[in-house]
């Protein structure tokens, strides 16, 4: 570290500049900001200020005692700068192990010994082997020769500065781009004084007339100031965002006092349609319903899927705000499921009361006739009514069970579930074709039941004049579809096919309502439209897809037709 300090006008200006920069930065960080990172950086600048004051002062003294006093001030800054800079880089980059109070005291052991030996150097000469005055151009100059402990102090300080620099290099290379923009100017700002000091201490004799390290800090302070003020290093905590913010499921947007985007986490990226959104106003990046924090849920198309979001803004005094955007899609699905469950319960009651009353009246009427007339033949009319009631009861029980909200799901291959369901349905000469393969998250048993009801509906209602039906099943971007090549469903009837009791073929009219109940229980949306072959096409959307194993499915001859 520094040895001699002859007077040189350009370097006096450099020392003064270093004092101004270090004093300004330390005051800003210690008095305008709170937090361990800002304090560590501010104290580092205090140490640099002490270094600069001592370096400047000892060029202006005429006695050895005064030179020793100012050299002690200077080295108090020198030894502290290395330790505090290392602590700052550890905290800023989030490196482990973190520096505790006890460890910090341990880091100051060598600097404390160095200052003690420097203060008592005339008695033993361990820090400086000797101090000799000389006169240059009428000015007294003190030149010091390095003692053994000077090199211990130098190696220790260089080790700390080197470790801190390596931490910044690793952080700059591996962190997000906008934090990299913070680390790089800081890294360059530190490299300047570090490099000038090495050049002074280890350079050729007479190469540099004075210690240029404070001047290096003055130049490097420009880049450090950019890192602190321009990139808002003192306002943001990179390790906090790396360890905490990225782990939050909600989208987090950090805004400055001008409502410009300063930072965002991983969950927020899908909501931003901009490759470099940093510095843009949040109102230009998000819909007003989210950026204005009105508390209402907003529906957005995210990667081709409709999802619901709600925002909440948390002000940060003198800095800006944090905008939290929560994905409430599942909550909205649950709310819709509860609403539709209540509607189904009302319809369930109506259907049960209406459809069960007719066969019950028939049983009562024929029984009374048999009792009044004595004709037992009237009782033969009771069997069809009881059969009808039994069918209704079974279907209503199925409807109630299948309509319960699905609590747990598992990955299910749609094509394989379709094959199992097809095997459980009387399909005559019908054919099932799996257009492609895909996996979804579902209750496998209920999904199979849904497909059975759909296939049964296709076979019973989609054909005419005894023709066989071909049913196709395939994947959508957010779900799957089932289509047939039958006679289709008239446009004016599509709004009624999922209603309880609606039937065009004399059935109970509960097949497609069961399909809708199972879909709603999963949180899916079901609709019916025309297929490419002119038949009916049932589409299930808002389905959670799963990246299951993909494989080619060969054509297979089965008892129920040829599948792919």
């Amino acid at each position: 570290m520094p040895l001699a300090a002859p007077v040189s006008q350009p370097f006096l200006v450099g020392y003064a500049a270093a004092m101004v920069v270090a004093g300004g930065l330390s005051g800003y960080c210690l008095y305008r900001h709170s937090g361990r990172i800002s304090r560590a950086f501010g104290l580092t600048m205090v140490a640099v200020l002490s270094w600069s004051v001592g370096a400047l002062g000892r060029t202006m003294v005429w006695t050895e005692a005064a030179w020793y006093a100012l050299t002690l001030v200077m080295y108090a800054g020198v030894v502290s700068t290395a330790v505090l800079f290392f602590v700052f880089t550890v905290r800023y980059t989030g490196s482990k192990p973190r520096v505790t109070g006890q460890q910090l005291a341990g880091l100051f052991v060598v600097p404390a010994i160095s200052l003690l030996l420097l203060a008592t150097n005339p008695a033993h000469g361990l820090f400086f082997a000797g101090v000799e005055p000389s006169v240059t151009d009428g000015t007294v100059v003190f030149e010091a020769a390095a003692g053994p402990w000077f090199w211990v102090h130098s190696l220790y300080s260089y080790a700390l500065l080197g470790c801190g620099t390596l931490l910044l290099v690793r952080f700059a290379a591996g962190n997000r781009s906008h934090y990299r923009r913070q680390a790089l100017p800081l890294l360059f700002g530190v490299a300047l004084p570090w490099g000038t000091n090495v050049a002074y201490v280890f350079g050729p004799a007479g190469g540099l007339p004075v210690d240029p390290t404070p001047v290096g800090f003055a130049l490097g302070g420009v880049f450090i100031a950019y890192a602190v003020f321009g990139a808002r290093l003192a306002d943001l905590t990179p390790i906090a965002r790396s360890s905490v913010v990225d782990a939050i499921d909600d989208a987090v947007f950090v805004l400055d006092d001008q409502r410009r985007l300063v930072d965002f986490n991983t969950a927020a990226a899908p909501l931003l349609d901009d490759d470099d959104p940093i510095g843009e106003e949040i109102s230009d990046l998000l819909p007003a319903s989210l950026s204005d924090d009105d508390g209402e849920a907003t529906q957005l198309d995210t990667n081709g899927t409709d999802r619901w979001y709600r925002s909440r803004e948390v002000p940060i005094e003198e800095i800006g705000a944090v905008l939290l955007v929560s994905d409430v899609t599942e909550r909205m699905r649950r709310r819709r499921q509860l609403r539709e469950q209540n509607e189904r319960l009302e319809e369930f009651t109506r259907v049960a009361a209406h459809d069960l009353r007719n066969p019950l009246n028939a049983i009562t009427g024929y029984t009374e006739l048999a009792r009044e007339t004595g004709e037992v033949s009237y009782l033969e009319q009771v069997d069809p009514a009881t059969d009808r009631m039994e069918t209704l009861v079974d279907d209503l029980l199925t409807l109630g069970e299948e309509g319960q909200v699905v609590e747990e799901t598992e990955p299910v291959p749609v094509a394989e579930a379709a094959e199992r369901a097809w095997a459980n349905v009387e399909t005559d000469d019908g054919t099932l074709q799996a257009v492609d393969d895909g996996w979804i998250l579902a209750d496998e048993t209920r999904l199979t039941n849904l497909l059975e009801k759909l296939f049964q509906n296709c076979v019973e209602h989609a054909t005419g004049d005894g023709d066989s039906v071909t049913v196709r099943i395939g994947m959508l971007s957010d779900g799957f579809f089932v289509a047939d090549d039958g006679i289709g469903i008239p446009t004016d009837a599509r709004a009624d096919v999922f209603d309880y009791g609606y039937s065009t073929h004399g059935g109970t009219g509960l097949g497609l309502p069961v399909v809708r109940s199972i879909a709603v229980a999963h949180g899916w949306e079901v609709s019916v439209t025309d297929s490419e072959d002119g038949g009916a096409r049932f589409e299930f959307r808002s389905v959670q897809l799963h990246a299951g194993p993909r494989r080619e499915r060969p054509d297979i001859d089965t008892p129920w037709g040829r599948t792919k």
Side-chain angles (χ1 to χ4, degrees):
M1 287 291 175
L3 294 177
V7 176
S8 180
Q9 190 65 32
F11 285 97
L12 292 179
V13 175
Y15 292 160
M19 292 169 57
V20 172
V21 171
L25 290 176
S26 61
Y28 181 81
C29 287
L30 294 177
Y31 293 103
R32 291 287 302 277
H33 294 277
S34 61
R36 301 173 63 193
I37 293 178
S38 292
R39 285 197 299 272
F41 181 69
L43 291 174
T44 303
M45 292 297 102
V46 171
V48 172
L49 177 62
S50 176
W51 186 343
S52 303
V53 169
L56 177 62
R58 70 180 193 159
T59 65
M60 301 177 180
V61 297
W62 297 84
T63 66
E64 184 173 335
W67 182 88
Y68 259 114
L70 288 168
T71 299
L72 193 61
V73 172
M74 173 181 170
Y75 272 88
V78 172
V79 298
S80 300
T81 296
V83 175
L84 293 171
F85 171 73
F86 174 73
V87 173
F88 163 71
T89 57
V90 169
R91 291 179 177 175
Y92 176 67
T93 61
S95 302
K96 295 182 180 180
R98 298 179 180 177
V99 180
T100 63
Q102 186 175 2
Q103 291 170 336
L104 181 61
L107 290 173
F108 271 105
V109 169
V110 172
I113 295 174
S114 298
L115 292 177
L116 178 61
L117 293 178
L118 178 59
T120 59
N121 188 76
H124 48 69
L126 292 176
F127 199 90
F128 291 138
V131 178
E132 296 293 335
S134 64
V135 179
T136 303
D137 297 330
T139 301
V140 177
V141 176
F142 293 92
E143 296 182 356
W149 189 260
F150 173 85
W151 297 110
V152 174
H153 140 75
S154 297
L155 291 175
Y156 181 74
S157 297
Y158 286 141
L160 291 177
L161 289 172
C163 290
T165 302
L166 289 176
L167 290 177
L168 283 178
V169 170
R170 185 180 67 178
F171 177 80
N175 220 300
R176 293 167 64 99
S177 59
H178 41 285
Y179 277 109
R180 203 172 300 157
R181 290 196 293 268
Q182 283 182 294
L184 288 177
L186 181 63
L187 182 62
F188 189 71
V190 171
L192 279 174
W194 200 71
T196 53
N197 185 262
V198 171
Y200 174 65
V201 174
F202 296 101
L208 292 174
V210 295
D211 175 17
T213 307
V215 179
F217 268 109
L219 297 176
V222 176
F223 297 94
I224 295 174
Y226 169 75
V228 175
F229 303 116
R232 305 181 66 85
L233 174 142
D235 293 343
L236 300 177
T237 306
I239 181 54
R241 68 117 27 239
S242 298
S243 300
V244 179
V245 178
D246 268 341
I248 298 176
D249 292 332
D250 290 344
V252 179
F253 302 90
V254 182
L255 312 178
D256 64 11
D257 52 6
Q258 308 267 330
R259 295 192 64 77
R260 295 172 300 195
L261 185 63
V262 176
D263 190 21
F264 59 93
N265 67 347
T266 304
L271 299 178
L272 297 172
D273 187 18
D274 195 321
D275 294 335
D276 188 16
I278 300 301
E280 299 290 333
E281 292 189 14
I282 193 64
S283 59
D284 295 333
L285 298 171
L286 295 178
S289 54
L290 288 182
S291 59
D292 292 345
D293 184 24
D294 58 7
E296 296 294 328
T298 301
Q299 187 175 11
L300 297 178
D301 185 340
T302 307
N303 295 328
T305 303
D306 287 336
R307 303 195 68 82
W308 292 86
Y309 297 92
R310 180 175 284 117
S311 62
R312 179 169 63 92
E313 189 168 308
V314 181
I316 302 178
E317 187 176 357
E318 297 184 359
I319 295 178
V322 173
L323 182 66
L324 302 174
V325 179
S326 304
D327 187 334
V328 295
T329 303
E330 292 304 317
R331 190 183 310 168
M332 297 299 290
R333 284 178 178 173
R334 293 284 181 174
R335 182 179 299 177
R336 179 170 60 85
Q337 287 173 322
L338 181 60
R339 182 178 66 251
E340 296 202 17
Q341 272 189 318
N342 291 335
E343 294 174 355
R344 288 199 307 272
L345 180 59
E346 295 177 1
E347 293 185 45
F348 183 95
T349 304
R350 177 179 56 81
V351 170
H354 179 271
D355 287 1
L356 289 176
R357 184 176 292 114
N358 290 336
L360 184 60
N361 288 339
I363 293 172
T364 302
Y366 287 121
T367 303
E368 288 294 334
L369 285 174
R371 184 180 295 116
E372 292 174 359
T373 63
E375 291 289 338
V376 181
S377 59
Y378 284 114
L379 297 179
E380 295 177 359
Q381 303 299 324
V382 172
D383 289 340
T386 57
D387 291 342
R388 173 71 172 174
M389 289 184 66
E390 184 176 358
T391 301
L392 282 170
V393 169
D394 288 341
D395 284 347
L396 290 172
L397 287 174
T398 299
L399 190 62
E401 293 172 356
E402 299 295 353
Q404 298 298 317
V405 173
V406 173
E407 298 292 344
E408 296 183 3
T409 60
E410 60 181 326
V412 180
V414 174
E416 292 183 10
E419 290 176 1
R420 287 193 296 271
W422 188 264
N424 296 333
V425 177
E426 293 290 339
T427 60
D428 298 327
D429 295 328
T431 303
L432 174 66
Q433 293 180 351
V435 177
D436 49 23
D437 198 359
W439 293 62
I440 63 173
L441 293 177
D443 181 307
E444 185 171 5
T445 300
R446 290 208 226 177
L447 174 62
T448 302
N449 194 8
L450 177 148
L451 294 173
E452 289 175 2
K453 296 293 184 184
L454 271 183
F455 295 157
Q456 187 173 358
N457 181 81
C458 291
V459 172
E460 291 180 355
H461 305 315
T463 60
D465 300 327
D467 295 333
S468 62
V469 64
T470 297
V471 178
R472 300 166 65 249
I473 185 168
M475 303 301 299
L476 301 171
S477 61
D478 61 343
F480 63 96
F481 70 89
V482 176
D484 62 58
D485 60 354
I487 59 176
I489 299 175
T491 303
D492 57 356
R494 292 173 187 171
D496 303 323
V497 294
F498 293 110
D499 290 344
Y500 298 113
Y502 181 85
S503 176
T504 59
H505 291 71
T508 61
L510 294 179
L512 291 181
V514 169
V515 169
R516 183 187 65 171
S517 294
I518 297 175
V520 172
H522 281 86
W524 304 341
E525 297 175 1
V526 57
S527 62
V528 60
T529 183
D530 292 326
S531 71
E532 296 177 356
D533 301 317
R537 175 183 168 108
F538 295 86
E539 295 185 348
F540 298 86
R541 297 187 177 274
S542 298
V543 179
Q544 289 183 282
L545 305 183
H546 185 272
R550 305 287 294 184
R551 65 182 186 275
E552 292 295 328
R553 294 176 47 80
D555 291 341
I556 302 174
D557 289 317
T558 67
W560 55 87
R562 186 171 179 80
T563 67
K564 181 177 176 59

